Amino acid sequence: MPFSDYKTALVTGASSGMGAAVVRRLRQEGLQVHALARSKDSLEALAKETGCIAHVMDVTDIAGLTALTQQVPFDILVNNAGVDRPRPFLKAQEDDIDLLVDVNLRAVLHLCRLVVPGMVSRDRGHVVNISSIAGAYNFGGNSTYHATKAAISMLSRQLRIDAFGKRVRVTEICPGRVATDIFAHVHGDSKETYERFIEGFELPVAEDIADAIAFCIAAPIAVNVGHMEITPTMQVPGGLQTTRPERPQA
Ligand SMILES: NC(=O)c1ccc[n+]([C@@H]2O[C@H](COP(=O)([O-])OP(=O)(O)OC[C@H]3O[C@@H](n4cnc5c(N)ncnc54)[C@H](OP(=O)(O)O)[C@@H]3O)[C@@H](O)[C@H]2O)c1
């Protein structure tokens, strides 16, 4: 099983939600796991609980990422850190766009730049990129978020071409709604947020995503799971929305 071929992993956005669940899951497999995020207390608690190595760092700190990736030859890279700003694009502010591009896309590109060449030269590695159904489908969200996640989707497929001929696997995990604190982080930690996004819904939880990632990594080395869309059973992407300009719908 390829888990035994891999020794080291880097997980970004490891202080909560899917990232923390992936850290726990990879530690169960006995990997040396480096957990990266900005929240010191959460990361230190996770390190105490799991034995992962905490890196209190912003993913936009390219010098920090460069130093870390020069120190450790990572076999697994999980690009999970992500943010959203709830404002629709027609009301977007300059720093909304910069933040989403910096965290959701630029950091992922730089980490792949820093890590994938080593994987290729060692003929061993697995990159897992967390996109979103926002990168695949159109709906009323924040178009900058959709754009960054669509870029992650394309990058994931493109990396397979860049690593062609080597045993470097790339998996895009494309979640629909998952019951994490992302909604509190994006919309505010309130009863309204909980009622709007979580309460009463039957949703996958972070551990379900971590298990799916573990399945992709545990697959025989000849098997690359390129794309996995994971939504609630009760969530269907798509639809047909038509409006009359003189009677616009909300
Ligand atoms: N939950 C969903 O419904 C859903 C659906 C589709 C896609 N996704 C994607 O799944 C991924 C994980 O989301 P989640 O639901 O687990 O959300 P979450 O609980 O809000 O976790 C986001 C993580 O990203 C980290 N992060 C944010 N900005 C960072 C920065 N500048 N530098 C380093 N780390 C940073 C946060 O840590 P710090 O704040 O401590 O830095 C946190 O650990 C994201 O890419 C998200 O877009 C989520």
Side-chain angles (χ1 to χ4, degrees), residues 12-20 36-40 42-43 57-61 79-84 99 102-104 130-134 145 149 173-183 185-186 206:
T12 69
S15 64
S16 70
M18 298 183 211
L36 188 151
R38 295 165 302 169
S39 302
K40 187 169 183 284
S42 309
L43 273 190
M57 196 185 294
D58 194 309
V59 279
T60 64
D61 175 3
N79 282 306
N80 165 77
V83 287
D84 192 10
L99 177 74
D102 286 350
V103 175
N104 296 358
I130 313 293
S131 62
S132 166
I133 58 166
Y145 183 79
K149 292 299 189 178
I173 300 286
C174 181
R177 190 180 301 180
V178 180
T180 71
D181 287 341
I182 194 168
F183 304 102
H185 295 154
V186 168

Side-chain angles (χ1 to χ4, degrees), residues 166-215:
K166 295 292 181 178
R167 294 177 185 84
V168 175
R169 302 184 294 175
V170 184
T171 301
E172 176 199 356
I173 300 286
C174 181
R177 190 180 301 180
V178 180
T180 71
D181 287 341
I182 194 168
F183 304 102
H185 295 154
V186 168
H187 296 273
D189 191 1
S190 67
K191 190 167 170 291
E192 290 71 37
T193 300
Y194 182 74
E195 284 172 358
R196 181 174 165 202
F197 293 102
I198 307 283
E199 191 181 53
F201 293 104
E202 294 176 19
L203 303 177
V205 293
E207 289 70 24
D208 297 317
I209 306 301
D211 285 343
I213 291 171
F215 170 84

Side-chain angles (χ1 to χ4, degrees), residues 50-198:
T50 66
C52 73
I53 300 164
H55 298 277
V56 181
M57 196 185 294
D58 194 309
V59 279
T60 64
D61 175 3
I62 305 303
L65 298 181
T66 303
L68 174 60
T69 54
Q70 282 172 351
Q71 282 160 22
V72 186
F74 288 111
D75 295 322
I76 297 172
L77 168 63
V78 182
N79 282 306
N80 165 77
V83 287
D84 192 10
R85 288 270 174 92
R87 264 185 291 279
F89 189 75
L90 295 185
K91 294 181 176 164
Q93 296 176 3
E94 186 178 341
D95 62 344
D96 293 345
I97 292 175
D98 290 345
L99 177 74
L100 267 60
V101 171
D102 286 350
V103 175
N104 296 358
L105 178 56
R106 196 189 310 276
V108 177
L109 285 166
H110 281 296
L111 271 170
C112 289
R113 171 181 68 81
L114 291 164
V115 171
V116 174
M119 291 177 169
V120 166
S121 69
R122 293 188 297 279
D123 195 19
R124 182 178 72 240
H126 199 142
V127 179
V128 179
N129 290 330
I130 313 293
S131 62
S132 166
I133 58 166
Y137 304 101
N138 303 99
F139 50 87
N142 176 346
S143 291
T144 308
Y145 183 79
H146 283 243
T148 59
K149 292 299 189 178
I152 293 304
S153 184
M154 178 53 79
L155 172 68
S156 304
R157 278 176 280 156
Q158 199 64 31
L159 280 175
R160 294 270 300 131
I161 293 168
D162 296 326
F164 177 64
K166 295 292 181 178
R167 294 177 185 84
V168 175
R169 302 184 294 175
V170 184
T171 301
E172 176 199 356
I173 300 286
C174 181
R177 190 180 301 180
V178 180
T180 71
D181 287 341
I182 194 168
F183 304 102
H185 295 154
V186 168
H187 296 273
D189 191 1
S190 67
K191 190 167 170 291
E192 290 71 37
T193 300
Y194 182 74
E195 284 172 358
R196 181 174 165 202
F197 293 102
I198 307 283

